[in-house]
Amino acid sequence: MSQFDHLSLDGRLLQLLVTVIDEGSITRAAERLGVTQSAVSHLLDKLRGIVGDPLFVKSGRGIVATARAEELAVHARVLLDELRRFATAAEFDPARLVSTLTIAANDFQRDLLLPRLLDRLRAAAPGVTLRVIPSDVPSAEMLRDEHCQLAISPRPPEAGDILQKRLFDDTYRVFHDPARRAAPTGLDDYLAAEHVTVLYEPRRSLDIDTVLAARGIQRRFVATVPGFAGIPSFLRGSTRLATAPGLLGTGLLREFASSPLPVPCPPMPMYLIWHLRHRHDPAHCWLRAELEALVPAALAGSGVG
């Protein structure tokens, strides 16, 4: 019989379980929580005694969660949400918030918005740490399981418990190295070129690639990369083209020239995405408002808007 009872549980143990599962490593969990590895191991032993399960088993050089641990983590995330609401129910004060806020964003959204967000968060809530993870093509599960509190993406998951708000629209442009070639003079010149594009896992094309393919516009792709940060090295010093969001021209693709697409195409919307359970959470409402508030300055700084 366990020597502990349920009253031995506290928020730190719940957060520990969730963090070790998210990180898949005691070492990384300790770094994220700001404690020693021995402290994590000690608390895991305590939690094992409470729930009567090993929780994690060795797998190669790492660890994997047991089925029971995965099940408990689902409940732990709900309880942690309730604890946060309990602590902030009276009056939310960002200056008193001590938390790690995780946002999923790919390199485009990350570079455009999140450095400005960090500046705002540090000014209002010095106890907050921002953690950024790749969104790829965001799934409802990553928000349900709280791998992140927010996602920023042009592709919101289609699910009844996932909420979204449109942040801005961007226009696709054709990027090229001006030292090696001029902008394409028309559709024939555009199609005659070699192209580089982004392909997110698991094999999800950019919206513009899907739109053009649906119109029967077939380009010759000679390279695909997992994010926009991979494009410059394939364009530099070559005659290749890349069709990408225009705002990248002031960021990752600023060294290249760009021109409009030779065919009409829809704009690329950008959405802020979160789970339904956070809709009225004071801290989450504050975070969303801070992010929305910086968008005009971010677009103005990029020469847009």
Side-chain angles (χ1 to χ4, degrees):
M1 181 178 293
S2 170
Q3 58 180 312
F4 298 103
D5 63 27
H6 66 282
L7 294 178
S8 299
L9 280 169
D10 60 29
R12 290 181 179 83
L13 286 176
L14 299 176
Q15 186 63 59
L16 175 78
L17 174 65
V18 169
T19 303
V20 176
I21 285 181
D22 285 350
E23 297 295 339
S25 162
I26 289 178
T27 300
R28 290 195 297 271
E31 291 173 353
R32 180 171 161 189
L33 294 170
V35 299
T36 64
Q37 293 182 47
S38 60
V40 171
S41 296
H42 171 73
L43 291 172
L44 278 178
D45 285 341
K46 181 178 179 180
L47 189 56
R48 290 182 180 108
I50 294 172
V51 301
D53 186 87
L55 298 178
F56 299 93
V57 295
K58 289 184 178 181
S59 177
R61 295 184 178 181
I63 58 172
V64 294
T66 65
R68 176 65 171 152
E70 294 283 3
E71 178 186 353
L72 289 171
V74 173
H75 298 296
R77 295 180 200 280
V78 174
L79 290 170
L80 286 167
D81 287 339
E82 292 296 329
L83 287 172
R84 292 188 193 101
R85 280 193 284 271
F86 182 86
T88 58
E91 181 177 353
F92 174 68
D93 179 4
R96 299 174 60 187
L97 182 62
V98 178
S99 180
T100 297
L101 302 176
T102 302
I103 297 179
N106 290 331
D107 42 17
F108 169 40
Q109 306 94 286
R110 178 198 66 203
D111 293 354
L112 179 67
L113 301 175
L114 298 190
R116 291 176 183 270
L117 177 64
L118 179 60
D119 290 341
R120 294 178 69 97
L121 297 184
R122 296 299 297 163
V128 163
T129 299
L130 180 62
R131 177 172 177 252
V132 183
I133 62 174
S135 62
D136 295 323
V137 179
S139 66
E141 286 69 26
M142 71 190 300
L143 292 156
R144 288 172 182 152
D145 296 342
E146 207 167 11
H147 293 305
C148 59
Q149 285 83 48
L150 281 174
I152 308 171
S153 173
R155 292 180 173 179
E158 295 183 2
D161 57 340
I162 302 300
L163 304 179
Q164 65 188 48
K165 184 167 186 177
R166 198 164 182 146
L167 289 176
F168 63 86
D169 289 342
D170 195 8
T171 302
Y172 283 100
R173 293 182 65 84
V174 182
F175 290 87
H176 66 276
D177 184 342
R180 291 301 312 273
R181 65 160 297 153
T185 56
L187 182 58
D188 289 343
D189 193 13
Y190 179 71
L191 295 180
E194 295 181 340
H195 291 257
V196 179
T197 192
V198 172
L199 187 66
Y200 293 117
E201 294 297 335
R203 299 192 64 80
R204 290 291 300 271
S205 303
L206 296 179
D207 287 345
I208 185 62
D209 294 340
T210 303
V211 167
L212 293 180
R215 294 179 180 176
I217 299 174
Q218 299 296 326
R219 290 169 291 165
R220 185 158 45 110
F221 292 117
V222 296
T224 62
V225 293
F228 292 111
I231 288 178
S233 59
F234 287 93
L235 287 191
R236 193 180 298 118
S238 81
T239 59
R240 303 180 191 109
L241 302 177
T243 303
L247 286 170
L248 286 169
T250 58
L252 288 168
L253 301 182
R254 58 182 171 273
E255 67 184 278
F256 303 103
S258 71
S259 59
L261 263 74
V263 292
C265 69
M268 184 195 75
M270 190 61 65
Y271 295 94
L272 189 59
I273 310 159
W274 66 98
H275 192 269
L276 177 64
R277 67 173 173 272
H278 293 309
R279 178 168 52 183
H280 301 302
D281 177 75
H284 204 277
C285 291
W286 167 76
L287 175 62
R288 299 196 304 266
E290 288 294 310
L291 208 156
E292 290 180 54
L294 66 81
V295 169
L299 298 185
S302 301
V304 177

